[in-house]
Amino acid sequence: MDSRLATALQVVVGIPAILILYVWGAERVLAVVARNNQWQQRIRPWLWIAPALGFLAFFLIYPTIRTIIRSFYGKNELTPTFVGLDNYRWFFTNSDAIGTLLNNVLWLLFFAGFTVGMGLVIAVLVDRVRYEALAKSIIFLPLAISMVAAGVIWKFMYDYKPEGTTQTGTLNALLGAVGLGPVGWLQSPGFRLSTFALIAIMVWMWTGFAMVIISAALKGIDPELLEAARIDGANEWQVFRRVILPLLGPTLAVVSTTMIITSLKTFDIVYTLTNGNYDTEVIANLMIKEMFVFGDFGRASAVAVVLLLAIVPIMGFNIRKFRAQESIR
């Protein structure tokens, strides 16, 4: 038998068997140790979630703490020396690192803004058409494509050849058809054109996600509220601005923070298309370079901590909004 097939069978059969054995064993131990039914009810939930908590601690909490500690040490992984805040000082005084922060700010503003804005507009528009399900499926379809696959697709879309030669890139071929010269979409550091070209790809992919979430919230608005506003003389724009938009506020906040976190973690598209060249570097790609290209684990850890510190407050805001929204239901 192929070793890969044997491994797959072990995973498919072994993991469920281990979980069943754990649950059975936990219940047996609970029945012996805690004979009082009240104590069983208190202990049982913790026994059931103990494996999940163990995996969370081992694969998330421990690496996070280890990365924070490692960020205060030097380059050498085998014999690291304590360097204090030198790695953070390097990040905030290095022009290339500051450039990555600028790019991530551009990602945060334009990716999150366009994705949520277009998702809202499309959700409102398709809510009024008969082929709503088909339209939503087509718009959502790009999200089913992996980041790397999307990068390969758009590499052909953005392909650039010197002026005077046949343009094989779709966009430059269209520009040539109307008499305009080719544009180096991914080779133009000026005005951050390459960064905006990468942002456009992510907007194309994630607009469908924002549309689906906003559309679900839109369906939850009581039609009687909209009808009452129209009876009172409000036009469609006023209904949207004074009724629909305020009611969608919590959902828009959650979607916006999700898109902000996605923008801060951007890596795949940048790595696939430019690898950070032409002023397109982002924090996540810089971290990978420092660790695997330059072998500087200290600086890579510091970059990872900076990214973590940027994301944690946004995640906290997202969780608070979600809890507030759930408490209303």
Side-chain angles (χ1 to χ4, degrees), residues 30 32 42 44 66 73 103 127 163 191 201 217 293 298 305 316:
L30 187 62
V32 174
R42 291 181 181 180
R44 181 175 286 111
R66 182 72 179 87
Y73 285 82
N103 284 333
D127 190 57
E163 190 170 357
F191 302 104
I201 300 174
V293 177
V305 172

mmCIF file of all heavy atoms in Angstrom, residues 30 32 42 44 66 73 103 127 163 191 201 217 293 298 305 316:
data_model
loop_
_atom_site.group_PDB
_atom_site.id
_atom_site.type_symbol
_atom_site.label_atom_id
_atom_site.label_comp_id
_atom_site.label_asym_id
_atom_site.label_seq_id
_atom_site.Cartn_x
_atom_site.Cartn_y
_atom_site.Cartn_z
ATOM 1 N N LEU A 30 -14.817 11.078 35.084
ATOM 2 C CA LEU A 30 -15.726 12.029 35.717
ATOM 3 C C LEU A 30 -16.733 11.312 36.607
ATOM 4 O O LEU A 30 -17.067 11.793 37.698
ATOM 5 C CB LEU A 30 -16.452 12.838 34.636
ATOM 6 C CG LEU A 30 -17.322 14.001 35.112
ATOM 7 C CD1 LEU A 30 -16.467 15.046 35.816
ATOM 8 C CD2 LEU A 30 -18.046 14.635 33.926
ATOM 9 N N VAL A 32 -16.277 8.592 38.215
ATOM 10 C CA VAL A 32 -15.622 8.069 39.414
ATOM 11 C C VAL A 32 -15.210 9.199 40.351
ATOM 12 O O VAL A 32 -15.426 9.142 41.564
ATOM 13 C CB VAL A 32 -14.392 7.217 39.021
ATOM 14 C CG1 VAL A 32 -13.618 6.796 40.255
ATOM 15 C CG2 VAL A 32 -14.833 6.006 38.208
ATOM 16 N N ARG A 42 -20.230 21.049 36.216
ATOM 17 C CA ARG A 42 -19.208 22.096 36.197
ATOM 18 C C ARG A 42 -17.938 21.639 35.490
ATOM 19 O O ARG A 42 -17.298 22.417 34.762
ATOM 20 C CB ARG A 42 -18.865 22.518 37.628
ATOM 21 C CG ARG A 42 -19.983 23.266 38.350
ATOM 22 C CD ARG A 42 -19.533 23.661 39.749
ATOM 23 N NE ARG A 42 -20.585 24.367 40.478
ATOM 24 C CZ ARG A 42 -20.455 24.817 41.722
ATOM 25 N NH1 ARG A 42 -19.311 24.621 42.385
ATOM 26 N NH2 ARG A 42 -21.450 25.451 42.311
ATOM 27 N N ARG A 44 -17.535 18.870 33.359
ATOM 28 C CA ARG A 44 -17.691 18.269 32.029
ATOM 29 C C ARG A 44 -17.334 19.221 30.881
ATOM 30 O O ARG A 44 -16.605 18.826 29.952
ATOM 31 C CB ARG A 44 -19.108 17.726 31.860
ATOM 32 C CG ARG A 44 -19.331 17.069 30.493
ATOM 33 C CD ARG A 44 -20.693 16.419 30.369
ATOM 34 N NE ARG A 44 -20.743 15.180 31.145
ATOM 35 C CZ ARG A 44 -21.460 15.022 32.249
ATOM 36 N NH1 ARG A 44 -22.163 16.035 32.741
ATOM 37 N NH2 ARG A 44 -21.458 13.874 32.881
ATOM 38 N N ARG A 66 6.868 32.956 22.359
ATOM 39 C CA ARG A 66 8.237 32.669 21.912
ATOM 40 C C ARG A 66 8.714 33.726 20.903
ATOM 41 O O ARG A 66 9.877 34.142 20.929
ATOM 42 C CB ARG A 66 8.276 31.277 21.267
ATOM 43 C CG ARG A 66 9.649 30.829 20.790
ATOM 44 C CD ARG A 66 10.544 30.496 21.961
ATOM 45 N NE ARG A 66 11.856 30.049 21.500
ATOM 46 C CZ ARG A 66 12.874 30.852 21.233
ATOM 47 N NH1 ARG A 66 12.732 32.162 21.384
ATOM 48 N NH2 ARG A 66 14.034 30.370 20.832
ATOM 49 N N TYR A 73 16.252 39.397 20.746
ATOM 50 C CA TYR A 73 17.557 38.760 20.586
ATOM 51 C C TYR A 73 18.081 38.991 19.170
ATOM 52 O O TYR A 73 17.333 39.411 18.272
ATOM 53 C CB TYR A 73 17.459 37.262 20.883
ATOM 54 C CG TYR A 73 17.340 36.972 22.368
ATOM 55 C CD1 TYR A 73 16.115 37.067 23.018
ATOM 56 C CD2 TYR A 73 18.462 36.616 23.111
ATOM 57 C CE1 TYR A 73 16.012 36.820 24.374
ATOM 58 C CE2 TYR A 73 18.360 36.367 24.475
ATOM 59 C CZ TYR A 73 17.136 36.472 25.102
ATOM 60 O OH TYR A 73 17.045 36.230 26.445
ATOM 61 N N ASN A 103 2.879 51.313 2.680
ATOM 62 C CA ASN A 103 2.098 50.441 1.794
ATOM 63 C C ASN A 103 0.946 49.777 2.538
ATOM 64 O O ASN A 103 -0.156 49.646 1.992
ATOM 65 C CB ASN A 103 3.008 49.377 1.176
ATOM 66 C CG ASN A 103 3.868 49.927 0.063
ATOM 67 O OD1 ASN A 103 3.511 50.900 -0.593
ATOM 68 N ND2 ASN A 103 5.025 49.332 -0.148
ATOM 69 N N ASP A 127 -30.310 43.237 -4.658
ATOM 70 C CA ASP A 127 -31.501 42.915 -3.867
ATOM 71 C C ASP A 127 -32.786 43.218 -4.629
ATOM 72 O O ASP A 127 -33.862 42.757 -4.250
ATOM 73 C CB ASP A 127 -31.468 43.707 -2.549
ATOM 74 C CG ASP A 127 -32.548 43.252 -1.577
ATOM 75 O OD1 ASP A 127 -32.561 42.053 -1.241
ATOM 76 O OD2 ASP A 127 -33.376 44.099 -1.161
ATOM 77 N N GLU A 163 7.071 49.199 -25.430
ATOM 78 C CA GLU A 163 6.254 49.853 -26.456
ATOM 79 C C GLU A 163 6.799 49.544 -27.845
ATOM 80 O O GLU A 163 8.005 49.553 -28.081
ATOM 81 C CB GLU A 163 6.252 51.365 -26.218
ATOM 82 C CG GLU A 163 5.238 52.095 -27.075
ATOM 83 C CD GLU A 163 5.084 53.546 -26.663
ATOM 84 O OE1 GLU A 163 5.731 53.955 -25.672
ATOM 85 O OE2 GLU A 163 4.318 54.260 -27.324
ATOM 86 N N PHE A 191 4.393 56.840 -7.787
ATOM 87 C CA PHE A 191 3.004 57.004 -7.358
ATOM 88 C C PHE A 191 2.397 55.714 -6.817
ATOM 89 O O PHE A 191 1.176 55.574 -6.755
ATOM 90 C CB PHE A 191 2.130 57.534 -8.512
ATOM 91 C CG PHE A 191 2.594 58.831 -9.079
ATOM 92 C CD1 PHE A 191 3.256 58.874 -10.298
ATOM 93 C CD2 PHE A 191 2.407 60.011 -8.381
ATOM 94 C CE1 PHE A 191 3.701 60.089 -10.819
ATOM 95 C CE2 PHE A 191 2.848 61.222 -8.899
ATOM 96 C CZ PHE A 191 3.499 61.265 -10.126
ATOM 97 N N ILE A 201 -6.560 43.719 -7.271
ATOM 98 C CA ILE A 201 -6.787 42.270 -7.324
ATOM 99 C C ILE A 201 -7.525 41.806 -6.073
ATOM 100 O O ILE A 201 -8.490 41.032 -6.148
ATOM 101 C CB ILE A 201 -5.446 41.525 -7.451
ATOM 102 C CG1 ILE A 201 -4.708 41.948 -8.716
ATOM 103 C CG2 ILE A 201 -5.677 40.009 -7.456
ATOM 104 C CD1 ILE A 201 -3.314 41.365 -8.835
ATOM 105 N N ALA A 217 -27.469 40.906 6.104
ATOM 106 C CA ALA A 217 -27.993 41.896 7.051
ATOM 107 C C ALA A 217 -29.120 42.705 6.434
ATOM 108 O O ALA A 217 -30.103 43.056 7.107
ATOM 109 C CB ALA A 217 -26.862 42.825 7.495
ATOM 110 N N VAL A 293 15.284 34.696 3.872
ATOM 111 C CA VAL A 293 16.262 35.168 2.890
ATOM 112 C C VAL A 293 17.524 35.660 3.589
ATOM 113 O O VAL A 293 18.641 35.269 3.242
ATOM 114 C CB VAL A 293 15.663 36.288 2.005
ATOM 115 C CG1 VAL A 293 16.727 36.819 1.036
ATOM 116 C CG2 VAL A 293 14.451 35.769 1.240
ATOM 117 N N GLY A 298 15.778 37.513 14.684
ATOM 118 C CA GLY A 298 15.430 38.582 15.610
ATOM 119 C C GLY A 298 14.606 39.661 14.947
ATOM 120 O O GLY A 298 13.553 40.065 15.461
ATOM 121 N N VAL A 305 5.884 40.853 15.592
ATOM 122 C CA VAL A 305 5.262 41.471 16.781
ATOM 123 C C VAL A 305 4.592 42.789 16.411
ATOM 124 O O VAL A 305 3.498 43.103 16.886
ATOM 125 C CB VAL A 305 6.312 41.672 17.890
ATOM 126 C CG1 VAL A 305 5.726 42.476 19.046
ATOM 127 C CG2 VAL A 305 6.813 40.327 18.394
ATOM 128 N N GLY A 316 -9.995 43.135 18.779
ATOM 129 C CA GLY A 316 -10.761 43.408 19.981
ATOM 130 C C GLY A 316 -12.003 44.223 19.685
ATOM 131 O O GLY A 316 -13.091 43.937 20.218
#
